[in-house]
Amino acid sequence: MITIDWNAFTPWSALAGGALIGLATVILLLLNGRIAGISGIVGGLFDRAAGETGWRLTFTLGLLAGPALWAAFHTLPPIQIEADYPLLVVAGLLVGLGTRYASGCTSGHGVCGLSRLSPRSLVATLVFMGAGFTTVYVTRHLLGG
């Protein structure tokens, strides 16, 4: 059973955040001709192609600066991760492997690809979401986690 804490339900801030993500992806596409897929942007930092490092580094630093800026004025909610470090490392590696096989991540396919009506992005997003739903179901209900 799912319970919603209506006192903490913030649809307006979620809507504003989603609109800002959409606006940022449109600006990146219009000004740089690039898709805002985080795995591709961060992965490109390691390729060191000429003229590619500056914008990728700026984008990545902006992602990291957002929560830091918010924390300067507000209290961040506590982070609770109910997994040990080896499991987190394996999970991270599996996500990285999946983004390589799918030629992108949820931000690239789910946000940018779906908005461009890309059939490949639709399939990738359905697979991402299906894998997530299945993982939660198996770990919470079948394995008793």
Side-chain angles (χ1 to χ4, degrees):
M1 181 168 129
I2 297 175
T3 305
I4 296 176
D5 180 2
W6 290 105
N7 293 326
F9 183 59
T10 57
W12 297 114
S13 63
L15 181 64
L20 285 173
I21 290 170
L23 180 63
T25 60
V26 168
I27 290 171
L28 184 65
L29 184 62
L30 290 176
L31 297 182
N32 283 15
R34 305 284 190 214
I35 299 295
I38 307 306
S39 63
I41 292 171
V42 173
L45 285 172
F46 301 101
D47 291 340
R48 302 209 183 255
E52 291 289 309
T53 305
W55 76 267
R56 291 174 188 275
L57 188 60
T58 302
F59 190 94
T60 304
L61 290 175
L63 288 176
L64 298 173
L69 183 62
W70 181 263
F73 300 102
H74 298 85
T75 302
L76 292 175
I79 298 172
Q80 296 176 320
I81 300 174
E82 298 175 8
D84 55 3
Y85 285 111
L87 183 61
L88 292 174
V89 169
V90 169
L93 291 172
L94 287 172
V95 168
L97 183 65
T99 61
R100 295 302 285 181
Y101 277 125
S103 298
C105 58
T106 52
S107 56
H109 285 297
V111 175
C112 302
L114 290 180
S115 66
R116 294 181 302 115
L117 303 176
S118 166
R120 184 176 76 139
S121 290
L122 175 61
V123 171
T125 302
L126 290 173
V127 170
F128 294 153
M129 297 303 291
F133 295 154
T134 301
T135 301
V136 169
Y137 181 78
V138 167
T139 58
R140 297 269 170 101
H141 300 287
L142 299 182
L143 299 179

